[in-house]
Amino acid sequence: MAALSVFALVLLLACGGPRAAGQKRKEMVLSEKVSQLMEWTSKRSVIRMNGDKFRRLVKAPPRNYSVIVMFTALQPHRQCVVCKQADEEYQILANSWRYSSAFTNKIFFAMVDFDEGSDVFQMLNMNSAPTFINFPAKGKPKRGDTYELQVRGFAAEQLARWVADRTDVNIRVIRPPNYAGPLMLGLLLAVIGGLVYLRGSNLDFLYNKTGWAFAALCFVLAMTSGQMWNHIRGPPYAHKNPHTGQVSYIHGSSQAQFVAETHIVLLFNGGVTLGMVLLHEAATSDMDVGKRKIMCIAGIGLVVFFFSWLLSVFRSKYHGYPYSFLMS
Protein backbone atom coordinates (compact mmCIF):
# COMPACT_ATOMS: atom_id res chain seq x y z
CA MET A 1 0.00 0.00 0.00
CA ALA A 2 2.85 2.40 0.82
CA ALA A 3 4.44 1.66 -2.51
CA LEU A 4 1.15 2.34 -4.30
CA SER A 5 0.77 5.64 -2.45
CA VAL A 6 4.25 6.76 -3.39
CA PHE A 7 3.65 5.75 -7.03
CA ALA A 8 0.39 7.71 -7.16
CA LEU A 9 2.10 10.75 -5.67
CA VAL A 10 4.91 10.59 -8.20
CA LEU A 11 2.39 10.16 -11.05
CA LEU A 12 0.39 13.15 -9.83
CA LEU A 13 3.47 15.34 -9.66
CA ALA A 14 4.59 14.19 -13.10
CA CYS A 15 1.22 15.06 -14.65
CA GLY A 16 0.55 18.26 -12.71
CA GLY A 17 4.00 19.75 -12.92
CA PRO A 18 4.01 20.65 -16.66
CA ARG A 19 0.43 21.88 -16.45
CA ALA A 20 1.21 24.19 -13.54
CA ALA A 21 4.35 25.41 -15.27
CA GLY A 22 2.38 26.16 -18.43
CA GLN A 23 -0.21 28.09 -16.47
CA LYS A 24 2.51 30.07 -14.75
CA ARG A 25 4.09 30.94 -18.11
CA LYS A 26 0.71 32.17 -19.39
CA GLU A 27 0.29 34.36 -16.34
CA MET A 28 3.75 35.80 -16.82
CA VAL A 29 3.13 36.52 -20.51
CA LEU A 30 -0.21 38.13 -19.69
CA SER A 31 1.35 40.26 -16.96
CA GLU A 32 4.07 41.44 -19.35
CA LYS A 33 1.50 42.35 -22.02
CA VAL A 34 -0.69 44.30 -19.59
CA SER A 35 2.33 46.10 -18.13
CA GLN A 36 3.50 47.06 -21.62
CA LEU A 37 0.07 48.37 -22.60
CA MET A 38 -0.27 50.32 -19.36
CA GLU A 39 3.13 51.90 -19.90
CA TRP A 40 2.27 52.99 -23.43
CA THR A 41 -1.15 54.26 -22.35
CA SER A 42 0.47 56.41 -19.65
CA LYS A 43 2.38 58.19 -22.43
CA ARG A 44 -0.33 58.28 -25.10
CA SER A 45 -4.04 57.50 -24.75
CA VAL A 46 -4.19 55.85 -28.19
CA ILE A 47 -1.48 53.23 -28.74
CA ARG A 48 -0.05 53.20 -32.27
CA MET A 49 0.48 49.65 -33.48
CA ASN A 50 2.21 48.02 -36.41
CA GLY A 51 1.73 44.45 -37.58
CA ASP A 52 3.99 42.86 -34.96
CA LYS A 53 2.46 44.72 -32.02
CA PHE A 54 -1.06 43.98 -33.24
CA ARG A 55 -0.44 40.25 -33.59
CA ARG A 56 1.35 39.98 -30.24
CA LEU A 57 -0.88 42.20 -28.07
CA VAL A 58 -4.29 41.98 -29.74
CA LYS A 59 -4.55 38.70 -31.64
CA ALA A 60 -2.32 36.32 -29.67
CA PRO A 61 -3.50 34.78 -26.37
CA PRO A 62 -3.50 35.04 -23.44
CA ARG A 63 -5.55 38.22 -23.06
CA ASN A 64 -7.94 39.32 -20.30
CA TYR A 65 -8.52 42.83 -21.68
CA SER A 66 -10.45 44.31 -24.59
CA VAL A 67 -8.80 46.45 -27.24
CA ILE A 68 -10.67 49.01 -29.31
CA VAL A 69 -8.73 49.46 -32.55
CA MET A 70 -9.23 52.20 -35.12
CA PHE A 71 -7.98 51.20 -38.56
CA THR A 72 -7.23 54.37 -40.45
CA ALA A 73 -5.11 56.13 -43.08
CA LEU A 74 -3.83 59.42 -41.70
CA GLN A 75 -0.89 60.09 -44.00
CA PRO A 76 -1.38 63.27 -46.09
CA HIS A 77 -0.93 61.47 -49.42
CA ARG A 78 -3.94 59.26 -48.58
CA GLN A 79 -6.19 62.37 -48.59
CA CYS A 80 -8.63 60.79 -46.15
CA VAL A 81 -10.44 63.76 -44.64
CA VAL A 82 -12.87 61.50 -42.79
CA CYS A 83 -9.95 59.66 -41.16
CA LYS A 84 -8.66 62.89 -39.64
CA GLN A 85 -12.09 63.89 -38.39
CA ALA A 86 -12.70 60.45 -36.87
CA ASP A 87 -9.23 60.47 -35.30
CA GLU A 88 -10.01 63.71 -33.44
CA GLU A 89 -13.15 62.19 -31.92
CA TYR A 90 -11.34 58.94 -31.14
CA GLN A 91 -8.61 60.85 -29.30
CA ILE A 92 -11.27 62.64 -27.23
CA LEU A 93 -12.83 59.30 -26.27
CA ALA A 94 -9.47 57.72 -25.38
CA ASN A 95 -8.37 60.75 -23.34
CA SER A 96 -11.70 60.74 -21.50
CA TRP A 97 -11.03 57.14 -20.46
CA ARG A 98 -7.33 57.63 -19.72
CA TYR A 99 -7.93 60.54 -17.32
CA SER A 100 -11.09 59.09 -15.79
CA SER A 101 -11.16 58.08 -12.14
CA ALA A 102 -12.60 54.72 -13.28
CA PHE A 103 -9.60 53.96 -15.52
CA THR A 104 -8.49 50.31 -15.35
CA ASN A 105 -6.58 47.82 -17.50
CA LYS A 106 -9.84 46.24 -18.65
CA ILE A 107 -9.84 48.12 -21.96
CA PHE A 108 -7.24 49.82 -24.15
CA PHE A 109 -7.49 52.05 -27.22
CA ALA A 110 -5.19 51.46 -30.18
CA MET A 111 -4.71 52.55 -33.77
CA VAL A 112 -3.35 50.84 -36.87
CA ASP A 113 -2.44 53.16 -39.73
CA PHE A 114 -2.46 51.63 -43.19
CA ASP A 115 1.04 52.88 -43.95
CA GLU A 116 2.37 51.34 -40.72
CA GLY A 117 0.42 48.07 -40.76
CA SER A 118 -0.83 47.25 -44.24
CA ASP A 119 -0.29 43.56 -43.42
CA VAL A 120 -2.93 43.87 -40.69
CA PHE A 121 -5.43 45.27 -43.22
CA GLN A 122 -4.69 42.32 -45.52
CA MET A 123 -4.98 39.82 -42.68
CA LEU A 124 -8.43 41.15 -41.74
CA ASN A 125 -9.55 41.58 -45.40
CA MET A 126 -10.23 45.23 -44.67
CA ASN A 127 -10.70 47.57 -47.64
CA SER A 128 -12.02 50.79 -46.10
CA ALA A 129 -10.98 53.30 -43.48
CA PRO A 130 -11.70 54.48 -40.89
CA THR A 131 -13.04 51.32 -39.22
CA PHE A 132 -13.50 50.65 -35.51
CA ILE A 133 -13.37 47.09 -34.17
CA ASN A 134 -13.60 45.79 -30.62
CA PHE A 135 -11.37 42.80 -29.90
CA PRO A 136 -12.98 41.29 -26.79
CA ALA A 137 -11.08 39.75 -23.90
CA LYS A 138 -12.44 36.33 -24.80
CA GLY A 139 -13.12 34.91 -28.23
CA LYS A 140 -13.08 36.50 -31.64
CA PRO A 141 -14.88 39.72 -32.62
CA LYS A 142 -18.53 39.24 -33.51
CA ARG A 143 -20.63 41.18 -35.95
CA GLY A 144 -21.60 43.77 -33.34
CA ASP A 145 -17.93 44.37 -32.51
CA THR A 146 -17.51 46.28 -35.78
CA TYR A 147 -18.77 49.83 -35.34
CA GLU A 148 -21.40 50.99 -37.87
CA LEU A 149 -19.70 54.23 -38.79
CA GLN A 150 -21.97 55.11 -41.70
CA VAL A 151 -25.08 54.76 -39.54
CA ARG A 152 -23.97 56.14 -36.18
CA GLY A 153 -21.30 58.65 -37.18
CA PHE A 154 -17.96 59.04 -35.44
CA ALA A 155 -18.83 61.45 -32.61
CA ALA A 156 -17.05 60.52 -29.38
CA GLU A 157 -20.39 60.20 -27.57
CA GLN A 158 -21.66 57.66 -30.11
CA LEU A 159 -18.41 55.70 -29.87
CA ALA A 160 -18.69 55.70 -26.08
CA ARG A 161 -22.20 54.20 -26.25
CA TRP A 162 -20.95 51.47 -28.56
CA VAL A 163 -17.97 50.74 -26.27
CA ALA A 164 -20.32 50.49 -23.28
CA ASP A 165 -22.54 48.08 -25.20
CA ARG A 166 -19.63 45.81 -26.19
CA THR A 167 -17.45 45.95 -23.06
CA ASP A 168 -19.71 47.16 -20.20
CA VAL A 169 -17.23 50.00 -19.66
CA ASN A 170 -19.01 53.34 -19.38
CA ILE A 171 -16.92 56.31 -20.45
CA ARG A 172 -18.02 59.86 -19.70
CA VAL A 173 -16.84 61.92 -22.67
CA ILE A 174 -15.11 65.13 -21.65
CA ARG A 175 -14.44 67.50 -24.50
CA PRO A 176 -11.83 70.26 -24.39
CA PRO A 177 -13.37 73.72 -23.95
CA ASN A 178 -14.73 75.23 -27.16
CA TYR A 179 -15.15 78.98 -27.06
CA ALA A 180 -16.46 79.35 -30.62
CA GLY A 181 -20.12 79.16 -29.56
CA PRO A 182 -19.93 81.79 -26.79
CA LEU A 183 -17.84 84.07 -29.01
CA MET A 184 -20.37 83.86 -31.85
CA LEU A 185 -23.24 84.50 -29.43
CA GLY A 186 -21.38 87.49 -27.98
CA LEU A 187 -20.70 88.84 -31.47
CA LEU A 188 -24.36 88.47 -32.42
CA LEU A 189 -25.50 90.26 -29.28
CA ALA A 190 -22.94 93.00 -29.92
CA VAL A 191 -24.23 93.50 -33.48
CA ILE A 192 -27.83 93.62 -32.29
CA GLY A 193 -26.90 96.01 -29.49
CA GLY A 194 -24.98 98.22 -31.95
CA LEU A 195 -27.94 98.38 -34.33
CA VAL A 196 -30.31 99.29 -31.52
CA TYR A 197 -27.89 101.97 -30.27
CA LEU A 198 -27.30 103.51 -33.70
CA ARG A 199 -30.94 103.41 -34.69
CA GLY A 200 -32.46 103.95 -31.27
CA SER A 201 -34.75 106.64 -32.60
CA ASN A 202 -36.00 104.47 -35.46
CA LEU A 203 -36.69 100.82 -34.67
CA ASP A 204 -39.03 100.23 -37.57
CA PHE A 205 -36.59 97.69 -39.02
CA LEU A 206 -37.60 95.35 -36.19
CA TYR A 207 -41.08 95.26 -37.71
CA ASN A 208 -39.85 94.42 -41.21
CA LYS A 209 -41.89 91.37 -42.28
CA THR A 210 -39.53 90.50 -45.11
CA GLY A 211 -36.53 90.34 -42.81
CA TRP A 212 -38.28 88.13 -40.29
CA ALA A 213 -39.68 85.93 -43.06
CA PHE A 214 -36.19 85.47 -44.54
CA ALA A 215 -34.72 84.58 -41.13
CA ALA A 216 -37.52 82.08 -40.47
CA LEU A 217 -37.06 80.56 -43.94
CA CYS A 218 -33.32 80.09 -43.39
CA PHE A 219 -34.03 78.34 -40.08
CA VAL A 220 -36.62 76.04 -41.66
CA LEU A 221 -34.34 75.12 -44.56
CA ALA A 222 -31.47 74.34 -42.16
CA MET A 223 -33.66 72.09 -40.00
CA THR A 224 -35.37 70.25 -42.87
CA SER A 225 -32.05 69.51 -44.55
CA GLY A 226 -30.80 67.53 -41.54
CA GLN A 227 -28.44 69.94 -39.79
CA MET A 228 -29.65 68.86 -36.35
CA TRP A 229 -28.98 65.21 -37.24
CA ASN A 230 -25.43 66.21 -38.16
CA HIS A 231 -24.99 67.97 -34.83
CA ILE A 232 -26.18 64.92 -32.87
CA ARG A 233 -24.54 62.12 -34.86
CA GLY A 234 -21.42 63.85 -36.20
CA PRO A 235 -21.30 62.07 -39.60
CA PRO A 236 -18.36 62.45 -42.02
CA TYR A 237 -18.52 65.18 -44.65
CA ALA A 238 -18.25 62.63 -47.49
CA HIS A 239 -16.82 59.19 -48.16
CA LYS A 240 -13.83 58.42 -50.37
CA ASN A 241 -13.33 54.87 -51.61
CA PRO A 242 -9.69 54.03 -50.79
CA HIS A 243 -9.39 51.75 -53.84
CA THR A 244 -11.09 53.71 -56.61
CA GLY A 245 -10.66 57.19 -55.14
CA GLN A 246 -14.31 57.95 -55.91
CA VAL A 247 -15.94 60.39 -53.48
CA SER A 248 -19.58 59.85 -52.45
CA TYR A 249 -21.55 62.86 -51.27
CA ILE A 250 -24.89 61.04 -50.97
CA HIS A 251 -25.14 58.13 -48.53
CA GLY A 252 -26.65 55.03 -50.12
CA SER A 253 -28.78 54.16 -47.08
CA SER A 254 -31.90 55.78 -45.69
CA GLN A 255 -30.51 55.27 -42.17
CA ALA A 256 -27.58 57.68 -42.51
CA GLN A 257 -26.34 60.77 -44.33
CA PHE A 258 -23.20 62.78 -45.01
CA VAL A 259 -22.70 66.44 -44.12
CA ALA A 260 -22.30 67.25 -47.82
CA GLU A 261 -25.66 65.58 -48.43
CA THR A 262 -27.42 68.01 -46.10
CA HIS A 263 -25.86 70.92 -47.95
CA ILE A 264 -27.08 69.51 -51.26
CA VAL A 265 -30.59 68.97 -49.89
CA LEU A 266 -30.58 72.50 -48.43
CA LEU A 267 -29.65 73.88 -51.85
CA PHE A 268 -32.41 71.90 -53.57
CA ASN A 269 -35.01 72.95 -51.00
CA GLY A 270 -33.86 76.54 -51.38
CA GLY A 271 -34.26 76.29 -55.16
CA VAL A 272 -37.81 74.96 -54.84
CA THR A 273 -38.64 77.69 -52.30
CA LEU A 274 -37.21 80.42 -54.54
CA GLY A 275 -39.31 79.10 -57.42
CA MET A 276 -42.47 79.25 -55.32
CA VAL A 277 -41.64 82.81 -54.24
CA LEU A 278 -41.17 83.87 -57.88
CA LEU A 279 -44.50 82.28 -58.84
CA HIS A 280 -46.23 84.11 -56.01
CA GLU A 281 -44.67 87.43 -57.01
CA ALA A 282 -45.59 86.84 -60.66
CA ALA A 283 -49.23 86.34 -59.66
CA THR A 284 -49.56 89.21 -57.19
CA SER A 285 -47.08 91.95 -58.14
CA ASP A 286 -47.96 95.15 -60.05
CA MET A 287 -45.09 94.83 -62.57
CA ASP A 288 -45.71 94.79 -66.30
CA VAL A 289 -46.90 91.60 -67.93
CA GLY A 290 -43.56 90.84 -69.63
CA LYS A 291 -41.60 90.78 -66.38
CA ARG A 292 -44.30 88.76 -64.68
CA LYS A 293 -44.14 86.15 -67.45
CA ILE A 294 -40.36 85.89 -67.05
CA MET A 295 -40.75 85.46 -63.30
CA CYS A 296 -43.41 82.82 -63.85
CA ILE A 297 -41.28 80.81 -66.29
CA ALA A 298 -38.23 81.09 -64.01
CA GLY A 299 -40.28 80.00 -61.02
CA ILE A 300 -41.72 76.97 -62.80
CA GLY A 301 -38.26 75.99 -64.03
CA LEU A 302 -36.75 76.22 -60.54
CA VAL A 303 -39.56 74.18 -58.96
CA VAL A 304 -39.49 71.50 -61.67
CA PHE A 305 -35.74 70.96 -61.82
CA PHE A 306 -34.93 71.19 -58.13
CA PHE A 307 -37.90 69.02 -57.17
CA SER A 308 -36.77 66.46 -59.73
CA TRP A 309 -33.27 66.43 -58.22
CA LEU A 310 -34.74 66.07 -54.72
CA LEU A 311 -36.80 63.11 -55.88
CA SER A 312 -33.75 61.48 -57.46
CA VAL A 313 -31.83 61.80 -54.17
CA PHE A 314 -34.78 60.24 -52.37
CA ARG A 315 -34.84 57.33 -54.84
CA SER A 316 -31.10 56.71 -54.41
CA LYS A 317 -31.56 56.34 -50.63
CA TYR A 318 -34.87 54.49 -50.58
CA HIS A 319 -34.19 51.66 -52.99
CA GLY A 320 -37.30 50.38 -54.72
CA TYR A 321 -39.15 53.71 -54.59
CA PRO A 322 -41.21 53.55 -57.81
CA TYR A 323 -41.70 57.22 -58.71
CA SER A 324 -39.44 59.64 -60.56
CA PHE A 325 -39.73 62.94 -62.41
CA LEU A 326 -37.47 63.99 -65.28
CA MET A 327 -34.44 62.28 -63.65
CA SER A 328 -34.18 58.66 -62.61
Side-chain angles (χ1 to χ4, degrees):
M1 290 294 293
L4 287 175
S5 299
V6 171
F7 176 76
L9 180 60
V10 171
L11 183 62
L12 181 63
L13 291 173
C15 294
R19 185 178 303 172
Q23 181 66 26
K24 188 174 182 180
R25 281 196 299 270
K26 285 184 178 179
E27 292 177 357
M28 290 179 61
V29 171
L30 179 60
S31 177
E32 290 176 0
K33 292 167 72 172
V34 172
S35 298
Q36 183 69 82
L37 289 169
M38 289 293 288
E39 180 182 352
W40 286 338
T41 302
S42 65
K43 298 176 181 178
R44 181 180 293 178
S45 300
V46 177
I47 303 169
R48 296 186 73 97
M49 291 187 174
N50 54 23
D52 293 336
K53 290 180 180 178
F54 178 82
R55 282 184 286 271
R56 180 168 61 89
L57 298 171
V58 178
K59 294 290 290 182
R63 195 176 76 246
N64 64 351
Y65 51 85
S66 298
V67 185
I68 307 296
V69 183
M70 179 178 73
F71 299 91
T72 185
L74 293 175
Q75 297 302 317
H77 65 276
R78 297 296 175 186
Q79 298 181 352
C80 183
V81 178
V82 180
C83 294
K84 296 179 181 179
Q85 296 172 343
D87 178 62
E88 293 176 359
E89 294 294 314
Y90 191 57
Q91 295 288 344
I92 291 174
L93 175 64
N95 285 328
S96 299
W97 170 241
R98 169 64 185 84
Y99 297 105
S100 169
S101 58
F103 174 74
T104 64
N105 57 11
K106 185 178 179 181
I107 182 175
F108 296 96
F109 291 88
M111 172 198 304
V112 176
D113 192 283
F114 181 80
D115 291 281
E116 299 172 1
S118 58
D119 53 333
V120 178
F121 279 73
Q122 295 173 1
M123 178 176 61
L124 299 177
N125 295 321
M126 193 173 300
N127 55 16
S128 63
T131 300
F132 298 90
I133 299 180
N134 168 51
F135 292 88
K138 296 181 180 179
K140 297 180 179 180
K142 300 178 181 178
R143 183 176 181 180
D145 287 313
T146 299
Y147 182 70
E148 296 178 330
L149 179 68
Q150 305 297 341
V151 175
R152 306 176 70 169
F154 49 69
E157 290 78 8
Q158 292 294 329
L159 288 169
R161 294 189 186 97
W162 170 69
V163 169
D165 179 60
R166 306 311 305 174
T167 66
D168 293 327
V169 173
N170 293 292
I171 302 175
R172 180 172 174 264
V173 176
I174 301 176
R175 292 183 174 274
N178 184 359
Y179 301 105
L183 285 175
M184 291 299 296
L185 179 60
L187 179 61
L188 178 62
L189 293 177
V191 171
I192 294 175
L195 288 174
V196 172
Y197 176 78
L198 294 174
R199 303 189 62 177
S201 59
N202 184 10
L203 299 179
D204 291 341
F205 69 96
L206 293 177
Y207 302 96
N208 189 307
K209 294 182 179 180
T210 304
W212 285 109
F214 180 76
L217 182 60
C218 290
F219 179 79
V220 171
L221 290 176
M223 293 298 103
T224 55
S225 65
Q227 297 297 328
M228 187 57 67
W229 195 94
N230 291 344
H231 179 73
I232 296 172
R233 294 295 186 90
Y237 186 82
H239 176 70
K240 183 177 181 180
N241 190 308
H243 296 287
T244 63
Q246 183 179 2
V247 179
S248 300
Y249 297 101
I250 304 294
H251 197 284
S253 170
S254 60
Q255 302 298 317
Q257 67 183 20
F258 297 132
V259 174
E261 182 179 330
T262 63
H263 296 165
I264 294 171
V265 172
L266 188 149
L267 175 64
F268 289 174
N269 282 334
V272 173
T273 303
L274 179 59
M276 297 299 293
V277 170
L278 289 177
L279 287 173
H280 176 268
E281 289 297 318
T284 59
S285 67
D286 297 329
M287 293 185 295
D288 59 85
V289 177
K291 291 183 178 179
R292 292 169 65 182
K293 286 183 178 180
I294 294 174
M295 293 178 64
C296 181
I297 294 173
I300 293 175
L302 287 172
V303 171
V304 168
F305 284 108
F306 280 107
F307 179 76
S308 176
W309 279 329
L310 270 175
L311 199 59
S312 66
V313 171
F314 187 83
R315 280 171 54 86
S316 68
K317 296 180 69 67
Y318 291 83
H319 305 287
Y321 186 76
Y323 305 109
S324 63
F325 183 62
L326 293 183
M327 303 176 188
S328 58

